[in-house]
Amino acid sequence: MRRALVVADLAALLIAFFLAELAVGFGTGGREADRLGAPGEILLFVATLPAWVVAARLYHLYDRDEKRTDHTTLDDLVGVFHLVTVVAWLLVGVAAITRLAQPPFVKVAWFWGLAIVFVTLARASARAFSRRHPAFAQNTVIVGAGDVGQLVARKLLQHPEYGINLVGFVDSEPKERRSDIADLTLLGSPTDLPELIESYDVERVIVAFSRESHERTLDVIRSLKDHWVQIDIVPRLFEIVGPSAEIHTAEGLPLVGLPPLRLSRTSRAVKRTMDFAFALTALVVLVPFLAFVALLIKLDTPGPVFFRQVRMGSDNRTFWILKFRTMVADAEERKAELRHLNKHARPGGDARMFKIEEDPRVTRVGRVLRRHLLDEVPQLVNVLRGEMSLVGPRPLILDEDREVDGWARTRLDLKPGMTGLWQVLGRSDIPFEEMVKLDYLYVTTWSLWGDLRLIFHTVPMLLLGGRDEVSRLLPPALDAAMPLETPTPTGS
């Protein structure tokens, strides 16, 4: 991965440089003071490429993929912007001082903009290529075969795009294996871990909870100092530790800092402003498309164009959600007779949610709309009215909302969203209990950048037709934000 990213960065910088030269003109602008012609300027830029690689290393742009299973190019965006901005203008300053070159401002501006775009695209391509290569897979061992360790295993197995090859568990007192990970092997006890790392060529060790004492677990981790492995530790109180948590120290004692669990007035104003501006712009631009879809629905089956349903909104206020109709007109009346097909009612499921695979009530046009999430576009009207947000908790029907109580009702502190963690990470495939946890975590760790990331990950789902197709190209980059078990009131 590191080599692929280095090659991608160098290729992108060279492409940006040559395109900037073509846009403005080869050479340095034709000034009499210039002592370099076009060949000299090209050679000078090529000579600076090692400096770009060193600077990228200082920005940690080459080592995060090995450390974080869920790292994506979106996480590099700020670093790439800083890198290109600082290094580009620093090199211009050095060139001006040494009088080796005096490129015009417009050429530097062209290069700066093109470099940000092409470095980002090249990195995304390099990751897509590397994650498909067998050499990228990291042999991984989980220390602890209890409830948490087995849940970590299930989540990793659900996401092969992470490049994690689970070898097995290490535990001296394992619990009985759950059915969905029954094939994973118990390799031995924690004291065998150094030998197991050598035998199985392990590159990552995940330390989950086990019945080992605190001192024994520390000894196991310290015994890995001579092995080149990435160590991940599931923290205590992980149920309320989100991606915005920060580690700081007090007299050498590390402390995990959580942000305030409620949004400030400024944050709410920023979120509402972004919602209103985007919804208004999108509705104006999409008027012809909305009219076209409405015509298709009318021509396909008899019934209204839109589907309206009461949902629970923020602060326990209900509202009418608006969607394109994707089912036959009497779909609600037929729901009872099809309840036996609910996939969540199967053993191990959660009957509080209702989802039928290959639902016979879905129309031909509705099937296409659902696959690309286009049936939800009319919810932009709900966003414009202030009833919903672009990103937020899942908008629940009233029967589902009655199943949410206690700490979980914190999810109603923010408006429900057109997309969110539940949307990007699996939609109806996520059990009800886990969906509530995602909503809780989203509300208590909200950030503007987090909203933008979720929107960026939703766009490919619109274009490619669902999360399964997207996961083959883009790792979700968000599963680290998914709590493992039901959050407790502690700390909240």
Side-chain angles (χ1 to χ4, degrees):
M1 178 66 80
R2 293 189 187 198
R3 290 192 294 270
L5 290 175
V6 170
V7 171
D9 286 347
L10 296 179
L13 290 170
L14 287 170
I15 292 172
F17 174 79
F18 280 105
L19 289 178
E21 292 283 358
L22 287 173
V24 180
F26 277 94
T28 54
R31 300 181 182 182
E32 294 181 0
D34 293 336
R35 302 189 334 214
L36 292 174
E41 187 170 292
I42 294 172
L43 290 175
L44 180 62
F45 178 77
V46 171
T48 66
L49 290 178
W52 287 93
V53 175
V54 172
R57 279 189 60 86
L58 294 176
Y59 276 94
H60 303 287
L61 292 176
Y62 295 131
D63 54 5
R64 290 173 180 163
D65 291 88
E66 293 183 7
K67 293 179 180 179
R68 294 178 50 185
T69 59
D70 63 342
H71 189 73
T72 68
T73 304
L74 279 177
D75 300 307
D76 289 344
L77 199 55
V78 174
V80 169
F81 178 84
H82 284 180
L83 170 71
V84 174
T85 302
V86 171
V87 178
W89 294 103
L90 181 63
L91 292 178
V92 168
V94 172
I97 293 173
T98 59
R99 295 186 176 276
L100 289 175
Q102 293 180 333
F105 174 82
V106 65
K107 182 181 292 187
V108 178
W110 267 98
F111 170 77
W112 173 79
L114 290 169
I116 293 174
V117 172
F118 280 100
V119 168
T120 302
L121 294 176
R123 284 181 153 257
S125 300
R127 285 194 169 94
F129 169 78
S130 297
R131 290 181 187 276
R132 286 168 174 75
H133 199 282
F136 177 76
Q138 289 184 317
N139 290 339
T140 301
V141 167
I142 298 177
V143 178
D147 292 335
V148 176
Q150 293 189 37
L151 195 55
V152 171
R154 178 179 68 82
K155 289 181 178 292
L156 294 177
L157 290 173
Q158 285 179 335
H159 294 288
E161 68 273 12
Y162 285 166
I164 297 295
N165 177 37
L166 279 181
V167 178
F169 293 102
V170 170
D171 200 333
S172 55
E173 299 181 59
K175 294 190 69 172
E176 183 179 353
R177 230 75 51 82
R178 49 195 296 169
S179 59
D180 48 3
I181 59 169
D183 294 337
L184 283 180
T185 306
L186 181 66
L187 303 174
S189 68
T191 55
D192 301 323
L193 190 56
E195 291 76 17
L196 293 172
I197 289 176
E198 295 292 337
S199 301
Y200 291 95
D201 193 22
V202 173
E203 299 168 272
R204 182 182 294 269
V205 174
I206 300 177
V207 181
F209 303 136
S210 68
R211 298 184 182 181
E212 296 286 338
S213 67
H214 176 74
E215 291 75 16
R216 290 268 296 177
T217 302
L218 285 177
D219 289 341
V220 168
I221 296 174
R222 287 166 177 160
S223 70
L224 306 180
K225 64 181 179 64
D226 295 327
H227 301 272
W228 190 264
V229 293
Q230 171 66 36
I231 302 174
D232 297 329
I233 301 175
V234 179
R236 298 286 179 181
L237 300 180
F238 56 81
E239 299 93 341
I240 56 173
V241 178
S244 56
E246 296 182 352
I247 295 181
H248 56 101
T249 61
E251 294 292 328
L253 178 68
L255 302 173
V256 179
L258 301 181
L261 300 181
R262 297 185 66 88
L263 263 67
S264 65
R265 292 181 179 179
T266 303
S267 296
R268 290 179 183 272
V270 169
K271 185 173 175 63
R272 176 57 186 155
T273 300
M274 183 178 73
D275 288 341
F276 184 85
F278 183 91
L280 181 61
T281 304
L283 283 172
V284 171
V285 172
L286 294 175
V287 164
F289 169 76
L290 297 175
F292 176 69
V293 173
L295 178 62
L296 291 179
I297 294 173
K298 270 297 186 184
L299 294 175
D300 187 31
T301 56
V305 170
F306 296 106
F307 172 75
R308 298 172 72 244
Q309 189 178 50
V310 177
R311 299 291 179 99
M312 180 59 71
S314 63
D315 299 324
N316 289 299
R317 291 196 296 264
T318 59
F319 68 99
W320 287 91
I321 197 170
L322 194 64
K323 294 185 177 185
F324 279 127
R325 180 175 61 85
T326 59
M327 291 186 174
V328 293
D330 62 344
E332 284 297 299
E333 289 75 12
R334 294 173 56 186
K335 184 175 180 179
E337 67 184 63
L338 298 174
R339 194 170 294 277
H340 65 285
L341 299 177
N342 180 13
K343 75 172 188 177
H344 293 289
R346 299 168 185 167
D350 191 331
R352 289 176 292 183
M353 299 183 72
F354 188 85
K355 174 69 175 179
I356 298 177
E357 297 173 342
E358 302 297 329
D359 196 319
R361 300 171 299 167
V362 178
T363 64
R364 290 178 302 171
V365 171
R367 192 168 292 108
V368 176
L369 295 178
R370 285 187 167 208
R371 180 183 179 188
H372 294 277
L373 313 181
L374 297 177
D375 58 316
E376 299 178 4
V377 173
Q379 292 172 30
L380 289 169
V381 175
N382 294 117
V383 175
L384 200 61
R385 290 175 179 171
E387 299 162 337
M388 292 183 65
S389 177
L390 294 175
V391 184
R394 184 171 185 167
L396 298 182
I397 61 175
L398 300 188
D399 286 343
E400 293 174 339
D401 179 72
R402 281 189 278 270
E403 301 291 337
V404 181
D405 55 15
W407 55 266
R409 295 204 71 80
T410 303
R411 67 188 302 280
L412 298 178
D413 285 354
L414 291 181
K415 297 170 185 175
M418 293 181 64
T419 187
L421 283 172
W422 55 273
Q423 175 90 292
V424 173
L425 292 175
R427 290 169 60 82
S428 60
D429 291 330
I430 296 179
F432 185 87
E433 198 70 32
E434 199 156 15
M435 178 270 296
V436 172
K437 302 171 195 174
L438 291 176
D439 289 343
Y440 172 87
L441 192 68
Y442 170 81
V443 169
T444 55
T445 62
W446 181 88
S447 70
L448 180 60
W449 175 237
D451 272 11
L452 293 175
R453 287 181 62 188
L454 286 166
I455 291 173
F456 289 148
H457 279 282
T458 303
V459 171
M461 295 173 66
L462 293 170
L463 299 176
L464 299 175
R467 185 179 179 276
D468 290 339
E469 288 80 359
V470 174
S471 65
R472 298 188 188 105
L473 300 177
L474 291 173
L478 295 165
D479 210 34
M482 185 187 293
L484 299 175
E485 293 291 352
T486 304
T488 62
T490 305
S492 61

